[in-house]
Amino acid sequence: LSNGQSIFLACKGAEAIHVENQLDYLHSLYPTDASNGWTNTVLLLTAGGNDIRTHDGDDWPELLKHCILEINPFKGCHQNSDNHIANWNDIFNKALDLYEKLALEAPNAKVRIMGYPRVMQRDPGCSSVTGISRNEADWMDDQIDVLNGELEDAVQMVQ
C-alpha cells in the first residue's frame, strides 16, 4: 500500500476460496495499488489448514477434538481410517489456484506463504496432551508436515 499502511484480513475457519475472496475485497478497497500489481506490498498469508477433511468428513478442529475426547484403550485415533485426511489432492489444487491468482493479480508484491506449526510437539520425556497418546501426537504432527509439504509443492509449481 502506498502509504505504508498495514491491513489485516483474517477469518477464523476461512478456507482457501475465502482467502481468494479477501484478495478480491482488497482490490475493491485499493484499486490504485491493485492496478499497480501491488508494488511495494508484502502479502503474508496462510491457507489450506481449514480445507482439511477426513474420510469421516471432519475438518481439522473437529478431528483434534474427536481424538482428544475419544478414549479407546485398544485403538488410537490415528489407527482409525475414518480419521485419516481424505483430500490432500484437493488441498494442493486449492492452494495452487490461490497462488496462481496471487501471481497474476499481485505480480509486483512480495508474497510470503506461511506454513502451519506442529500442534503437539511432544517432549519425549513428558506426556502429551491429556487424552492423546504419544503415537497419536506424532501422527497429528505428521499431518501438519504433510499439509506444509502440499502447500510448498503448490508454491514451487507457481514460482
Side-chain angles (χ1 to χ4, degrees), residues 27-144:
H27 289 327
S28 71
L29 291 177
Y30 303 97
T32 303
D33 292 300
S35 67
N36 291 329
W38 297 97
T39 300
N40 297 322
T41 301
V42 177
L43 299 175
L44 181 66
L45 64 117
T46 58
N50 290 318
D51 292 288
I52 288 176
R53 294 296 178 274
T54 66
H55 286 285
D56 212 20
D58 288 341
D59 62 16
W60 185 247
E62 290 169 335
L63 174 62
L64 293 179
K65 180 181 172 185
H66 174 78
C67 288
I68 291 168
L69 296 178
E70 178 186 279
I71 297 174
N72 184 339
F74 305 108
K75 188 174 186 180
C77 179
H78 64 297
Q79 295 170 315
N80 181 344
S81 62
D82 287 343
N83 294 331
H84 293 185
I85 309 305
N87 67 330
W88 291 124
N89 289 336
D90 188 44
I91 290 168
F92 170 83
N93 289 324
K94 287 179 180 182
L96 185 61
D97 289 346
L98 173 61
Y99 303 159
E100 287 174 339
K101 180 180 179 99
L102 285 167
L104 289 172
E105 296 183 10
N108 300 320
K110 291 181 182 176
V111 178
R112 302 293 180 252
I113 308 297
M114 297 185 301
Y116 288 86
R118 299 177 114 216
V119 293
M120 294 297 161
Q121 302 181 34
R122 73 171 172 95
D123 182 332
C126 297
S127 295
S128 187
V129 172
T130 301
I132 299 291
S133 72
R134 290 181 177 185
N135 290 336
E136 289 169 319
D138 290 344
W139 175 77
M140 289 175 189
D141 283 342
D142 289 345
Q143 301 317 294
I144 296 299

